[in-house]
Amino acid sequence: MKQKLSLTLCFVLFTIVIQAQTVPSHPWAHKRVAYFGDSITDPKNDGSKLKYWNFLQDWLDITPLVYGKSGRQWNDIPRQTDMLQKEHGDSVDAIIIFVGTNDYNNGVPIGEWYEEKDEQVVYGHGEPKKPVNRKRRYPKMDKDTYCGRINIALDKVKRMYPTKQIVLLTPIHRAQFYRSETNWQITEDYTNQCGLYIEAYINAVKEAGNVWAVPVIDLNSACGLYPMMDEHAQYFHDKDTDRLHPNDKGHERMALTLMYQLQALPCTF
């Protein structure tokens, strides 16, 4: 009987060891990841003690290189890219860009992804090649529009870091933020100065994934945070004055979502 129990125990232990060896580790574990963004990423923002990247650092042993800064918009991403290059060069595995809510709040026009020009190009299919007239599109590098800012930013990031994984996150839902008499931000069920709801800015980030061949994680829907409901105020800094910035509990929920979403993406190539 003792021998049978001993054999059974040995088999169980052997099975556990084999399973531990065959279960794949998270593809982002132990990597160096740069985070670009605004106040939700900024380590100095007082909306929470811990940010989503702190949780990912703890759970996956990611080394965070954080460049997010409060109030910044898509037009600040080139600056953050330059800072990363200056301080760490090529010593980074991936870049996560989480920005856009301030573009909505500041009424940045959406704009267009491309501008078209009439050009002549040589073409042949089933007959000898010859010059033909075609329309050709070029990314619109317009610093005063949302799409133009994304074009400028991703053109720079992808040229500077062509071998690195780049991931975009959509802005999350936002409700009131009443900081002061001169910083009184209304809820997302109102249009901005351009007459647009925040969905226009969220959808543009999704479109950017196809325009620039970068994966997009729709954090707006996937993380489940919905500050427009009083029941979800528990995830934000202050139920009365700040339902823009997630608190520790909110950041943990975002981080859990990201941990599982990132598992479907390679961190390095």
Side-chain angles (χ1 to χ4, degrees):
M1 185 67 177
K2 288 184 178 179
Q3 185 177 7
K4 186 179 289 187
L5 286 173
S6 180
L7 288 172
T8 302
L9 181 59
C10 287
F11 177 76
V12 171
L13 291 173
F14 176 77
T15 303
I16 292 173
V17 170
I18 293 298
Q19 288 178 340
Q21 290 176 344
T22 56
V23 173
S25 63
H26 196 290
W28 290 64
H30 317 302
K31 304 300 185 182
R32 292 168 59 84
V33 179
Y35 298 93
F36 296 166
D38 50 39
S39 57
I40 297 179
T41 300
D42 188 348
K44 295 181 179 179
N45 181 266
D46 62 5
S48 64
K49 296 182 179 67
L50 297 172
K51 310 302 179 195
Y52 64 94
W53 48 264
N54 288 122
F55 289 102
L56 294 176
Q57 179 184 17
D58 184 42
W59 298 337
L60 299 176
D61 193 30
I62 287 175
T63 299
L65 311 173
V66 184
Y67 292 92
K69 193 170 180 62
S70 291
R72 297 308 169 98
Q73 304 170 33
W74 262 101
N75 60 359
D76 193 56
I77 299 304
R79 182 196 66 83
Q80 295 180 34
T81 306
D82 286 335
M83 290 297 296
L84 173 64
Q85 180 67 30
K86 178 181 177 181
E87 295 178 1
H88 297 282
D90 204 47
S91 182
V92 60
D93 293 305
I95 299 169
I96 292 178
I97 304 176
F98 183 23
V99 71
T101 194
N102 291 314
D103 297 82
Y104 156 76
N105 184 61
N106 283 274
V108 176
I110 292 293
E112 302 290 338
W113 292 113
Y114 301 105
E115 57 182 339
E116 288 186 330
K117 296 181 180 179
D118 292 317
E119 294 188 6
Q120 195 172 75
V121 63
V122 175
Y123 175 79
H125 182 68
E127 59 181 336
K129 64 181 183 180
K130 62 180 180 181
V132 295
N133 295 320
R134 296 287 175 88
K135 287 189 178 296
R136 185 178 184 181
R137 65 185 185 183
Y138 294 85
K140 198 165 187 178
M141 303 298 184
D142 183 355
K143 64 181 178 58
D144 295 321
T145 68
Y146 193 62
C147 290
R149 290 176 171 191
I150 295 175
N151 281 342
I152 293 169
L154 293 184
D155 181 79
K156 185 181 186 72
V157 176
K158 285 183 72 76
R159 289 182 191 278
M160 192 171 288
Y161 290 101
T163 65
K164 309 301 181 182
Q165 177 67 281
I166 301 162
V167 180
L168 308 184
L169 310 183
T170 58
I172 61 172
H173 286 274
R174 52 177 291 155
Q176 68 268 21
F177 178 62
Y178 304 147
R179 172 69 78 177
S180 67
E181 291 297 315
T182 57
N183 190 2
W184 195 274
Q185 300 183 28
I186 55 182
T187 54
E188 66 174 32
D189 50 353
Y190 290 95
T191 59
N192 64 7
Q193 300 93 308
C194 295
L196 297 172
Y197 292 103
I198 194 170
E199 286 81 6
Y201 298 82
I202 293 163
N203 290 333
V205 174
K206 296 178 187 179
E207 292 173 6
N210 288 320
V211 172
W212 287 99
V214 291
V216 178
I217 295 176
D218 187 8
L219 200 60
N220 179 267
S221 65
C223 76
L225 296 180
Y226 195 66
M228 298 295 289
M229 289 181 173
D230 289 343
E231 290 81 358
H232 279 247
Q234 62 183 297
Y235 290 108
F236 290 84
H237 183 222
D238 187 280
K239 67 182 181 66
D240 296 318
T241 63
D242 186 359
R243 295 195 200 180
L244 172 63
H245 300 102
N247 56 22
D248 286 13
K249 188 176 179 180
H251 274 277
E252 182 180 25
R253 184 161 176 167
M254 288 196 300
L256 277 168
T257 302
L258 288 173
M259 183 172 69
Y260 284 98
Q261 293 285 318
L262 291 173
Q263 196 163 17
L265 296 172
C267 185
T268 56
F269 298 100

mmCIF file of all heavy atoms in Angstrom, residues 129-155:
data_model
loop_
_atom_site.group_PDB
_atom_site.id
_atom_site.type_symbol
_atom_site.label_atom_id
_atom_site.label_comp_id
_atom_site.label_asym_id
_atom_site.label_seq_id
_atom_site.Cartn_x
_atom_site.Cartn_y
_atom_site.Cartn_z
ATOM 1 N N LYS A 129 3.436 47.666 -70.632
ATOM 2 C CA LYS A 129 3.334 48.766 -69.670
ATOM 3 C C LYS A 129 3.345 50.106 -70.374
ATOM 4 O O LYS A 129 3.974 50.279 -71.436
ATOM 5 C CB LYS A 129 4.479 48.689 -68.654
ATOM 6 C CG LYS A 129 5.857 48.869 -69.265
ATOM 7 C CD LYS A 129 6.931 48.742 -68.197
ATOM 8 C CE LYS A 129 8.319 48.995 -68.799
ATOM 9 N NZ LYS A 129 9.387 48.878 -67.811
ATOM 10 N N LYS A 130 2.665 51.062 -69.780
ATOM 11 C CA LYS A 130 2.596 52.409 -70.353
ATOM 12 C C LYS A 130 2.196 53.389 -69.263
ATOM 13 O O LYS A 130 1.664 52.981 -68.217
ATOM 14 C CB LYS A 130 1.579 52.447 -71.489
ATOM 15 C CG LYS A 130 0.162 52.125 -71.040
ATOM 16 C CD LYS A 130 -0.814 52.167 -72.204
ATOM 17 C CE LYS A 130 -2.227 51.831 -71.720
ATOM 18 N NZ LYS A 130 -3.201 51.845 -72.836
ATOM 19 N N PRO A 131 2.439 54.667 -69.463
ATOM 20 C CA PRO A 131 2.018 55.657 -68.466
ATOM 21 C C PRO A 131 0.489 55.735 -68.400
ATOM 22 O O PRO A 131 -0.186 55.751 -69.430
ATOM 23 C CB PRO A 131 2.616 56.968 -68.986
ATOM 24 C CG PRO A 131 3.684 56.548 -69.938
ATOM 25 C CD PRO A 131 3.216 55.267 -70.546
ATOM 26 N N VAL A 132 -0.027 55.758 -67.159
ATOM 27 C CA VAL A 132 -1.467 55.931 -66.953
ATOM 28 C C VAL A 132 -1.685 56.989 -65.879
ATOM 29 O O VAL A 132 -0.817 57.222 -65.030
ATOM 30 C CB VAL A 132 -2.145 54.603 -66.530
ATOM 31 C CG1 VAL A 132 -2.053 53.571 -67.647
ATOM 32 C CG2 VAL A 132 -1.529 54.057 -65.247
ATOM 33 N N ASN A 133 -2.838 57.620 -65.908
ATOM 34 C CA ASN A 133 -3.182 58.629 -64.914
ATOM 35 C C ASN A 133 -3.917 57.967 -63.752
ATOM 36 O O ASN A 133 -4.887 57.230 -63.957
ATOM 37 C CB ASN A 133 -4.051 59.716 -65.536
ATOM 38 C CG ASN A 133 -3.307 60.509 -66.590
ATOM 39 O OD1 ASN A 133 -2.123 60.819 -66.423
ATOM 40 N ND2 ASN A 133 -3.981 60.829 -67.691
ATOM 41 N N ARG A 134 -3.448 58.192 -62.577
ATOM 42 C CA ARG A 134 -4.077 57.639 -61.371
ATOM 43 C C ARG A 134 -4.071 58.683 -60.257
ATOM 44 O O ARG A 134 -3.242 59.588 -60.244
ATOM 45 C CB ARG A 134 -3.329 56.392 -60.877
ATOM 46 C CG ARG A 134 -3.356 55.219 -61.828
ATOM 47 C CD ARG A 134 -4.732 54.555 -61.856
ATOM 48 N NE ARG A 134 -4.806 53.502 -62.847
ATOM 49 C CZ ARG A 134 -4.466 52.237 -62.625
ATOM 50 N NH1 ARG A 134 -4.023 51.884 -61.431
ATOM 51 N NH2 ARG A 134 -4.578 51.334 -63.580
ATOM 52 N N LYS A 135 -4.974 58.485 -59.310
ATOM 53 C CA LYS A 135 -4.909 59.278 -58.079
ATOM 54 C C LYS A 135 -3.970 58.575 -57.107
ATOM 55 O O LYS A 135 -3.950 57.350 -57.028
ATOM 56 C CB LYS A 135 -6.297 59.428 -57.454
ATOM 57 C CG LYS A 135 -7.213 60.381 -58.208
ATOM 58 C CD LYS A 135 -8.469 60.642 -57.428
ATOM 59 C CE LYS A 135 -9.370 61.625 -58.154
ATOM 60 N NZ LYS A 135 -8.733 62.963 -58.272
ATOM 61 N N ARG A 136 -3.200 59.348 -56.367
ATOM 62 C CA ARG A 136 -2.290 58.791 -55.366
ATOM 63 C C ARG A 136 -2.529 59.494 -54.032
ATOM 64 O O ARG A 136 -2.715 60.713 -53.994
ATOM 65 C CB ARG A 136 -0.829 58.973 -55.788
ATOM 66 C CG ARG A 136 0.154 58.313 -54.838
ATOM 67 C CD ARG A 136 1.574 58.478 -55.337
ATOM 68 N NE ARG A 136 2.518 57.771 -54.476
ATOM 69 C CZ ARG A 136 3.848 57.765 -54.657
ATOM 70 N NH1 ARG A 136 4.373 58.429 -55.689
ATOM 71 N NH2 ARG A 136 4.630 57.106 -53.827
ATOM 72 N N ARG A 137 -2.548 58.709 -52.964
ATOM 73 C CA ARG A 137 -2.793 59.309 -51.658
ATOM 74 C C ARG A 137 -1.502 59.402 -50.845
ATOM 75 O O ARG A 137 -0.624 58.537 -50.939
ATOM 76 C CB ARG A 137 -3.850 58.536 -50.884
ATOM 77 C CG ARG A 137 -3.461 57.130 -50.496
ATOM 78 C CD ARG A 137 -4.629 56.415 -49.849
ATOM 79 N NE ARG A 137 -4.239 55.092 -49.366
ATOM 80 C CZ ARG A 137 -5.078 54.224 -48.812
ATOM 81 N NH1 ARG A 137 -6.359 54.537 -48.685
ATOM 82 N NH2 ARG A 137 -4.649 53.051 -48.386
ATOM 83 N N TYR A 138 -1.422 60.432 -50.043
ATOM 84 C CA TYR A 138 -0.296 60.667 -49.152
ATOM 85 C C TYR A 138 -0.837 60.910 -47.747
ATOM 86 O O TYR A 138 -1.867 61.576 -47.580
ATOM 87 C CB TYR A 138 0.487 61.908 -49.586
ATOM 88 C CG TYR A 138 1.189 61.788 -50.915
ATOM 89 C CD1 TYR A 138 0.504 62.048 -52.110
ATOM 90 C CD2 TYR A 138 2.534 61.426 -50.984
ATOM 91 C CE1 TYR A 138 1.153 61.944 -53.337
ATOM 92 C CE2 TYR A 138 3.185 61.321 -52.200
ATOM 93 C CZ TYR A 138 2.486 61.581 -53.372
ATOM 94 O OH TYR A 138 3.129 61.470 -54.582
ATOM 95 N N PRO A 139 -0.165 60.379 -46.720
ATOM 96 C CA PRO A 139 -0.605 60.697 -45.356
ATOM 97 C C PRO A 139 -0.615 62.208 -45.140
ATOM 98 O O PRO A 139 0.336 62.908 -45.502
ATOM 99 C CB PRO A 139 0.450 60.015 -44.474
ATOM 100 C CG PRO A 139 1.001 58.925 -45.325
ATOM 101 C CD PRO A 139 0.995 59.464 -46.731
ATOM 102 N N LYS A 140 -1.694 62.691 -44.570
ATOM 103 C CA LYS A 140 -1.842 64.127 -44.351
ATOM 104 C C LYS A 140 -1.176 64.507 -43.037
ATOM 105 O O LYS A 140 -1.647 64.137 -41.962
ATOM 106 C CB LYS A 140 -3.321 64.506 -44.356
ATOM 107 C CG LYS A 140 -3.566 65.986 -44.562
ATOM 108 C CD LYS A 140 -5.022 66.256 -44.930
ATOM 109 C CE LYS A 140 -5.223 67.710 -45.302
ATOM 110 N NZ LYS A 140 -6.627 67.960 -45.708
ATOM 111 N N MET A 141 -0.092 65.219 -43.118
ATOM 112 C CA MET A 141 0.688 65.610 -41.941
ATOM 113 C C MET A 141 0.245 66.988 -41.466
ATOM 114 O O MET A 141 0.920 67.988 -41.685
ATOM 115 C CB MET A 141 2.180 65.602 -42.262
ATOM 116 C CG MET A 141 2.696 64.264 -42.765
ATOM 117 S SD MET A 141 2.494 62.959 -41.532
ATOM 118 C CE MET A 141 3.289 61.571 -42.353
ATOM 119 N N ASP A 142 -0.906 67.010 -40.831
ATOM 120 C CA ASP A 142 -1.522 68.263 -40.401
ATOM 121 C C ASP A 142 -1.504 68.325 -38.876
ATOM 122 O O ASP A 142 -2.258 67.626 -38.198
ATOM 123 C CB ASP A 142 -2.956 68.322 -40.933
ATOM 124 C CG ASP A 142 -3.659 69.624 -40.590
ATOM 125 O OD1 ASP A 142 -3.078 70.449 -39.865
ATOM 126 O OD2 ASP A 142 -4.813 69.802 -41.051
ATOM 127 N N LYS A 143 -0.666 69.170 -38.315
ATOM 128 C CA LYS A 143 -0.507 69.242 -36.862
ATOM 129 C C LYS A 143 -1.737 69.801 -36.155
ATOM 130 O O LYS A 143 -1.835 69.730 -34.923
ATOM 131 C CB LYS A 143 0.710 70.095 -36.503
ATOM 132 C CG LYS A 143 0.609 71.547 -36.918
ATOM 133 C CD LYS A 143 1.863 72.325 -36.553
ATOM 134 C CE LYS A 143 1.796 73.771 -37.012
ATOM 135 N NZ LYS A 143 0.653 74.525 -36.471
ATOM 136 N N ASP A 144 -2.685 70.356 -36.905
ATOM 137 C CA ASP A 144 -3.863 70.965 -36.295
ATOM 138 C C ASP A 144 -5.089 70.060 -36.326
ATOM 139 O O ASP A 144 -6.182 70.497 -35.930
ATOM 140 C CB ASP A 144 -4.186 72.289 -37.002
ATOM 141 C CG ASP A 144 -3.083 73.324 -36.799
ATOM 142 O OD1 ASP A 144 -2.546 73.390 -35.682
ATOM 143 O OD2 ASP A 144 -2.773 74.053 -37.756
ATOM 144 N N THR A 145 -4.955 68.821 -36.805
ATOM 145 C CA THR A 145 -6.073 67.886 -36.788
ATOM 146 C C THR A 145 -5.648 66.605 -36.074
ATOM 147 O O THR A 145 -4.461 66.289 -35.973
ATOM 148 C CB THR A 145 -6.560 67.528 -38.202
ATOM 149 O OG1 THR A 145 -5.568 66.751 -38.874
ATOM 150 C CG2 THR A 145 -6.887 68.777 -39.000
ATOM 151 N N TYR A 146 -6.645 65.866 -35.605
ATOM 152 C CA TYR A 146 -6.397 64.634 -34.853
ATOM 153 C C TYR A 146 -5.735 63.566 -35.734
ATOM 154 O O TYR A 146 -4.705 62.996 -35.359
ATOM 155 C CB TYR A 146 -7.727 64.135 -34.314
ATOM 156 C CG TYR A 146 -7.642 63.043 -33.270
ATOM 157 C CD1 TYR A 146 -7.006 63.259 -32.051
ATOM 158 C CD2 TYR A 146 -8.246 61.804 -33.478
ATOM 159 C CE1 TYR A 146 -6.968 62.267 -31.074
ATOM 160 C CE2 TYR A 146 -8.219 60.819 -32.503
ATOM 161 C CZ TYR A 146 -7.568 61.052 -31.312
ATOM 162 O OH TYR A 146 -7.529 60.079 -30.354
ATOM 163 N N CYS A 147 -6.307 63.318 -36.907
ATOM 164 C CA CYS A 147 -5.711 62.336 -37.817
ATOM 165 C C CYS A 147 -4.315 62.779 -38.252
ATOM 166 O O CYS A 147 -3.397 61.952 -38.347
ATOM 167 C CB CYS A 147 -6.599 62.138 -39.043
ATOM 168 S SG CYS A 147 -8.157 61.292 -38.705
ATOM 169 N N GLY A 148 -4.153 64.056 -38.521
ATOM 170 C CA GLY A 148 -2.841 64.563 -38.913
ATOM 171 C C GLY A 148 -1.812 64.390 -37.816
ATOM 172 O O GLY A 148 -0.663 64.020 -38.080
ATOM 173 N N ARG A 149 -2.203 64.629 -36.568
ATOM 174 C CA ARG A 149 -1.286 64.447 -35.433
ATOM 175 C C ARG A 149 -0.895 62.973 -35.281
ATOM 176 O O ARG A 149 0.270 62.663 -34.999
ATOM 177 C CB ARG A 149 -1.950 64.939 -34.150
ATOM 178 C CG ARG A 149 -2.107 66.449 -34.077
ATOM 179 C CD ARG A 149 -2.865 66.852 -32.820
ATOM 180 N NE ARG A 149 -2.852 68.306 -32.626
ATOM 181 C CZ ARG A 149 -3.253 68.917 -31.519
ATOM 182 N NH1 ARG A 149 -3.714 68.196 -30.512
ATOM 183 N NH2 ARG A 149 -3.186 70.231 -31.428
ATOM 184 N N ILE A 150 -1.869 62.089 -35.454
ATOM 185 C CA ILE A 150 -1.555 60.656 -35.369
ATOM 186 C C ILE A 150 -0.617 60.264 -36.492
ATOM 187 O O ILE A 150 0.347 59.503 -36.288
ATOM 188 C CB ILE A 150 -2.847 59.817 -35.396
ATOM 189 C CG1 ILE A 150 -3.695 60.100 -34.151
ATOM 190 C CG2 ILE A 150 -2.526 58.334 -35.481
ATOM 191 C CD1 ILE A 150 -5.057 59.404 -34.135
ATOM 192 N N ASN A 151 -0.857 60.785 -37.698
ATOM 193 C CA ASN A 151 0.043 60.502 -38.825
ATOM 194 C C ASN A 151 1.465 60.948 -38.525
ATOM 195 O O ASN A 151 2.425 60.205 -38.751
ATOM 196 C CB ASN A 151 -0.456 61.212 -40.083
ATOM 197 C CG ASN A 151 -1.607 60.487 -40.763
ATOM 198 O OD1 ASN A 151 -1.839 59.301 -40.525
ATOM 199 N ND2 ASN A 151 -2.332 61.200 -41.615
ATOM 200 N N ILE A 152 1.607 62.166 -38.042
ATOM 201 C CA ILE A 152 2.937 62.702 -37.728
ATOM 202 C C ILE A 152 3.618 61.842 -36.672
ATOM 203 O O ILE A 152 4.798 61.486 -36.793
ATOM 204 C CB ILE A 152 2.826 64.166 -37.249
ATOM 205 C CG1 ILE A 152 2.365 65.074 -38.399
ATOM 206 C CG2 ILE A 152 4.164 64.654 -36.686
ATOM 207 C CD1 ILE A 152 1.968 66.478 -37.953
ATOM 208 N N ALA A 153 2.860 61.479 -35.636
ATOM 209 C CA ALA A 153 3.435 60.715 -34.529
ATOM 210 C C ALA A 153 3.856 59.317 -34.962
ATOM 211 O O ALA A 153 4.985 58.884 -34.699
ATOM 212 C CB ALA A 153 2.422 60.625 -33.379
ATOM 213 N N LEU A 154 2.963 58.596 -35.634
ATOM 214 C CA LEU A 154 3.271 57.217 -35.997
ATOM 215 C C LEU A 154 4.297 57.129 -37.119
ATOM 216 O O LEU A 154 5.070 56.169 -37.185
ATOM 217 C CB LEU A 154 1.990 56.470 -36.360
ATOM 218 C CG LEU A 154 1.026 56.273 -35.182
ATOM 219 C CD1 LEU A 154 -0.180 55.449 -35.606
ATOM 220 C CD2 LEU A 154 1.730 55.609 -33.996
ATOM 221 N N ASP A 155 4.325 58.120 -37.988
ATOM 222 C CA ASP A 155 5.389 58.170 -38.993
ATOM 223 C C ASP A 155 6.753 58.237 -38.307
ATOM 224 O O ASP A 155 7.701 57.547 -38.690
ATOM 225 C CB ASP A 155 5.190 59.384 -39.908
ATOM 226 C CG ASP A 155 6.245 59.478 -40.997
ATOM 227 O OD1 ASP A 155 6.129 58.750 -41.996
ATOM 228 O OD2 ASP A 155 7.192 60.279 -40.827
#
